[in-house]
Amino acid sequence: MGGTFEARLVEALQPIRNFALAQGIYHLFNSGLYERVSSGPIKVIELAEELAFDPQRATGFLQYLANEGIVLLQDECVSLTAAGRELAPFRPWYELLVGGYAETFQQITEALRGPDYATRNGPMIGVGSCGISEYDAFPLVHELMAELPAPPKFITDFGCGDGAFLTGLLESYPSVSGLGVDLFAPAESPVDGIRFLMKNATDYARSLVPATGADRGETLFLAVFLLQEVLEQEGRPAVVELVRTALANGHLAVVEVDYKPTDPSIMKNGLGLGYYNPYNLLHAITEQRLEPEEFWLRLFEEAGAVVVARRTVNSQVDSTGLEIGFLLAPAGNEH
Ligand SMILES: C[S@@+](CC[C@H](N)C(=O)[O-])C[C@H]1O[C@@H](n2cnc3c(N)ncnc32)[C@H](O)[C@@H]1O
């Protein structure tokens, strides 16, 4: 083994440096600092006053970020560096994996021993997940919707997170109204025509009366990264029932992650190690369960569904092919 002790220590400390940096970047966004500094250089003292920060602590945080090359501190002013500006579109990944799951990674040992699952920050997961979906699942659902026999009159988003997905979708369909159901749904809707319900999606689905006649098929249900949650919470039969209930009232668009944790071609891919490896881990210790595509296809069949369309994410965004969208219709009523 070569190198001095210090050289080996520096090497061994890189994950700790990145651990602190991931937290630092998340809080740069979450504190409002990033937004304020994006509009140009500002005196640190003014920034601290505007954001109600303790000036000494704010200076310490900014000095940390300056040493990591994220901000520039000069003449008592702070601004974003080019590397700092580049981070802007990636904010939701920090919101999901750090804001939502930092506490989860702290509980690995307890979760391994059980019986409890590791906890997570539910509202922040909704924010981060919907933010990421803007780049991947949102265009996927748009593509699936193009395969519908007719535009829906109503969209129900099961597991709607902070509601941004549904709200964004309905901007393209102004005559369609929507309902978002989530354990952490927003308390209020930002627009007319969209309602939110803070409720378990399976409880809500059980209260639905199957549509008949002309109403049949007028609702599009969405389950974007939701079935994996219900699967661990309530078991496979509950997911089958949820799919069946949705199909009794219309079409269902499902987006799931194909679980391939041992596929070397994926785990060697940058996104494989950078995103899916921690993503798989956090699913293993929280109350959710990833499954491979074949599992979902068998489940859909059992629920009486036919896959009308299958799409994966644009490879410019995610070349792993792991994120898959399905448009489901009741068997015998494929179009
Ligand atoms: C990974 S997020 C997906 C959010 C959003 N659909 C998107 O496109 O990113 C999963 C969401 O499902 C919600 N959820 C989990 N179990 C649920 C349940 N049984 N009923 C309703 N919502 C649930 C969580 O609160 C979370 O907001």
Side-chain angles (χ1 to χ4, degrees):
M1 190 170 298
T4 61
F5 180 85
E6 183 178 313
R8 289 186 286 124
L9 175 61
V10 168
E11 184 91 354
L13 286 178
Q14 292 313 301
I16 295 178
R17 174 182 170 191
N18 285 325
F19 162 74
L21 186 55
Q23 301 278 347
I25 294 172
Y26 165 67
H27 287 285
L28 172 65
F29 286 126
N30 190 51
S31 62
L33 222 157
Y34 191 90
E35 225 167 354
R36 182 59 191 87
V37 187
S38 294
S39 53
I42 175 168
K43 278 209 174 332
V44 174
I45 193 77
E46 280 172 27
L47 177 79
E49 202 176 308
E50 265 186 40
L51 296 178
F53 291 166
D54 175 277
Q56 220 174 344
R57 293 180 190 179
T59 304
F61 184 38
L62 291 170
Q63 270 162 355
Y64 165 79
L65 292 170
N67 286 332
E68 286 292 355
I70 309 287
V71 301
L72 186 70
L73 275 174
Q74 213 168 32
D75 304 329
E76 295 172 16
C77 283
V78 57
S79 57
L80 285 175
T81 60
R85 281 195 298 276
E86 296 258 313
L87 285 171
F90 309 112
R91 173 177 182 150
W93 280 263
Y94 285 87
E95 288 170 331
L96 180 75
L97 292 172
V98 183
Y101 286 110
E103 67 182 57
T104 309
F105 294 121
Q106 282 287 316
Q107 299 168 56
I108 293 173
T109 305
E110 292 87 332
L112 288 176
R113 293 190 175 132
D116 297 330
Y117 297 103
T119 63
R120 51 189 176 146
N121 181 328
M124 195 46 81
I125 283 161
V127 172
S129 187
C130 281
I132 297 175
S133 286
E134 197 182 310
Y135 294 87
D136 50 26
F138 189 79
L140 203 61
V141 167
H142 260 289
E143 282 184 38
L144 294 173
M145 285 180 72
E147 301 298 323
L148 285 168
K153 291 213 168 128
F154 199 84
I155 298 180
T156 298
D157 187 358
F158 287 145
C160 65
D162 73 346
F165 193 105
L166 181 63
T167 310
L169 200 59
L170 293 186
E171 276 169 16
S172 313
Y173 301 89
S175 60
V176 180
S177 33
L179 170 70
V181 185
D182 196 294
L183 299 171
F184 297 97
E188 283 175 19
S189 172
V191 283
D192 291 343
I194 304 183
R195 269 189 324 121
F196 289 107
L197 206 54
M198 213 178 282
K199 203 174 170 125
N200 186 328
T202 56
D203 286 344
Y204 173 77
R206 283 181 197 118
S207 72
L208 284 173
V209 180
T212 50
D215 287 346
R216 211 178 147 85
E218 292 195 332
T219 299
L220 172 68
F221 293 86
L222 306 178
V224 180
F225 312 119
L226 186 268
L227 300 187
Q228 54 180 264
E229 305 249 4
V230 175
L231 184 64
E232 186 67 22
Q233 291 165 14
E234 298 183 48
R236 195 176 190 278
V239 184
V240 172
E241 189 193 340
L242 185 67
V243 173
R244 207 174 263 144
T245 309
L247 294 180
N249 290 276
H251 286 75
L252 170 66
V254 172
V255 180
E256 274 302 328
V257 172
D258 191 3
Y259 187 49
K260 287 184 175 168
T262 57
D263 185 330
S265 67
I266 286 166
M267 286 310 149
K268 275 189 198 141
N269 168 299
L271 214 49
L273 268 184
Y275 181 71
Y276 286 107
N277 205 29
Y279 182 86
N280 289 345
L281 166 61
L282 65 88
H283 278 77
I285 58 174
T286 52
E287 195 175 15
Q288 16 184 10
R289 183 162 12 131
L290 297 175
E291 289 290 352
E293 181 175 9
E294 307 82 68
F295 172 94
W296 295 112
L297 292 175
R298 277 199 301 276
L299 187 148
F300 297 153
E301 199 180 353
E302 188 186 330
V306 164
V307 177
V308 177
R310 174 196 185 275
R311 296 282 183 280
T312 52
V313 172
N314 177 344
S315 63
Q316 296 285 309
V317 174
D318 182 343
S319 63
T320 63
L322 290 183
E323 209 174 299
I324 312 171
F326 306 93
L327 181 65
L328 306 180
N333 187 22
E334 285 85 337
H335 259 205

